[in-house]
Amino acid sequence: VYPEFVEFCDGAILLAHNARFDVDFVSEELTRHNLPVMSNTVVDSLALFRAWFPDAPSHSIESLADYLDLDDGGYHRALADSDYIVRIFEEGLKRQKKGLTLKKMIEQAGGVLHFRDTTRDP
């Protein structure tokens, strides 16, 4: 399914909570299976949400959903967590000052991450 996933993501900026873990894990698996590394830019929603919601008691998905009164239950499943990240992101966008640009948002998230080839020379 990897080729279909790459096609689906083509040209997209990916948003992931605690993205360093996901980017490193996926990069290792792609290298292990001799697959081409994705070229997408990745933004870490954990870092972004820390900047956007500094008064939240915690920045876990579940805690932020509760803090923003978005809690519908059901966490720690890919689809449910993805839905919460989108909803938290949308709520954060509403609270931003006018003039928020992609560049400013990326700065608030501490920069971008990229998938990388983890091949090591013998």
Side-chain angles (χ1 to χ4, degrees), residues 50-118:
R50 283 180 175 149
W52 282 4
F53 306 107
D55 296 331
S58 168
H59 293 89
S60 70
I61 296 170
E62 187 172 356
S63 179
L64 283 167
D66 186 52
Y67 175 76
L68 297 169
D69 202 27
L70 304 172
D71 189 356
D72 292 333
Y75 295 95
H76 309 295
R77 297 285 182 256
L79 186 57
D81 285 358
S82 296
D83 179 60
Y84 277 114
I85 290 170
V86 169
R87 292 171 61 199
I88 295 165
F89 180 79
E90 288 172 340
E91 184 62 34
L93 283 176
K94 290 178 196 174
R95 297 173 180 218
Q96 295 307 301
K97 296 177 183 173
K98 288 185 178 182
L100 177 68
T101 63
L102 179 59
K103 181 179 178 181
K104 287 180 186 176
M105 186 189 75
I106 288 171
E107 288 171 1
Q108 292 171 336
V112 297
L113 301 169
H114 296 280
F115 296 94
R116 61 192 180 357
D117 185 349
T118 59

